[in-house]
Structure formats: structure tokens, C-alpha cells
Amino acid sequence: MILQCWYKRRIKMLRLLKLVFVVLILLGGAVIVYAYVGDLSPKQVTVSAPVELDGG
């Protein structure tokens, strides 16, 4: 009886670990796809501002 209970808990733990592993693989794939497809480059903007220098 004790062995059967231990076996059921082990099966549940292995299923949970498998689910976590699959979710991590999917998240990693999503990050890789976003890195290749998404636009991660910063937008360039021309900045012009007057500058005063002390010559003194």
C-alpha cells in the first residue's frame, strides 16, 4: 500500500516536471522567434539643441 502511494506521487511529480519542461521549451522558442521576427532595433531620431560654451 505504501509503495503504491509512493508510485502515484512519483508519477504526478514526473508529469508536473514534464509540463514545466514543455512550457520552458515553448517559452524559449517564443523568445527566439520574437528576436528574429520582432523589431528590436532602437529608433533613431535626430536631436538638435543649442549649446552655449563658456570661453572665459
Side-chain angles (χ1 to χ4, degrees):
M1 185 69 178
I2 294 174
L3 185 61
Q4 186 179 12
C5 182
W6 177 80
Y7 182 73
K8 286 181 181 180
R9 282 190 294 174
R10 186 173 176 129
I11 292 295
K12 287 181 182 179
M13 182 63 80
L14 289 175
R15 285 182 182 168
L16 183 63
L17 285 174
K18 186 163 71 167
L19 177 67
V20 169
F21 183 70
V22 169
V23 168
L24 287 176
I25 293 295
L26 290 175
L27 285 175
V31 168
I32 290 172
V33 168
Y34 182 72
Y36 281 111
V37 175
D39 186 15
L40 298 178
S41 61
K43 297 183 179 176
Q44 296 180 355
V45 179
T46 304
V47 177
S48 60
V51 177
E52 294 182 22
L53 300 175
D54 278 338

